[in-house]
Amino acid sequence: LEYKSLRLTIGGKTPVDDANRWYAGAMLYWYLNPSMNEEPVTSGSDKSRVVHFNFSGDYRYSERVWINSGIDFKTLTTNFSGAGTRPGSPGEKSTNRFTQLNLGITYM
């Protein structure tokens, strides 16, 4: 399966304490007219939808060292209609869910 789309992103990050050491952020991603390509067989015409958002938190350990964290949620859903080339019963729906936890250190 291969999904294709133009993605628009909105989000930001803000300090959450008076000393500007802790930061919280969020990102929301919009996928415009997503499409799905299926090989070597197809399940019919597709109507796809992608839901994707992210929450992050950063800690400024020192002037040059930051500790970064984030959790990413993505769901790709496709509803099929019509006849495809898949043998047997045709596919009706495909859903893929991804959750990703990111931890890291940034040195600037």
Side-chain angles (χ1 to χ4, degrees):
L1 298 177
E2 178 184 42
Y3 285 86
K4 292 182 181 179
S5 179
L6 178 64
R7 182 176 86 177
L8 298 177
T9 305
I10 187 169
K13 191 177 289 191
T14 185
V16 294
D17 67 336
D18 292 335
N20 290 338
R21 293 185 77 77
W22 291 94
Y23 286 76
M27 302 287 274
L28 179 60
Y29 304 96
W30 277 283
Y31 291 80
L32 304 175
N33 196 26
S35 65
M36 194 260 314
N37 184 31
E38 196 176 16
E39 290 181 8
V41 295
T42 63
S43 298
S45 299
D46 65 277
K47 175 74 174 152
S48 298
R49 183 180 60 156
V50 179
V51 176
H52 185 187
F53 54 94
N54 166 290
F55 298 107
S56 63
D58 297 334
Y59 175 70
R60 186 178 53 149
Y61 182 76
S62 70
E63 187 63 32
R64 294 184 183 263
V65 178
W66 289 72
I67 300 171
N68 314 107
S69 66
I71 189 161
D72 209 39
F73 301 97
K74 185 187 282 189
T75 302
L76 301 103
T77 303
T78 303
N79 292 310
F80 299 103
S81 62
T85 60
R86 181 178 304 282
S89 61
E92 294 177 7
K93 185 176 185 177
S94 169
T95 301
N96 297 292
R97 290 184 180 93
F98 302 96
T99 304
Q100 182 176 351
L101 176 64
N102 300 303
L103 301 171
I105 296 174
T106 303
Y107 178 79
M108 295 183 270

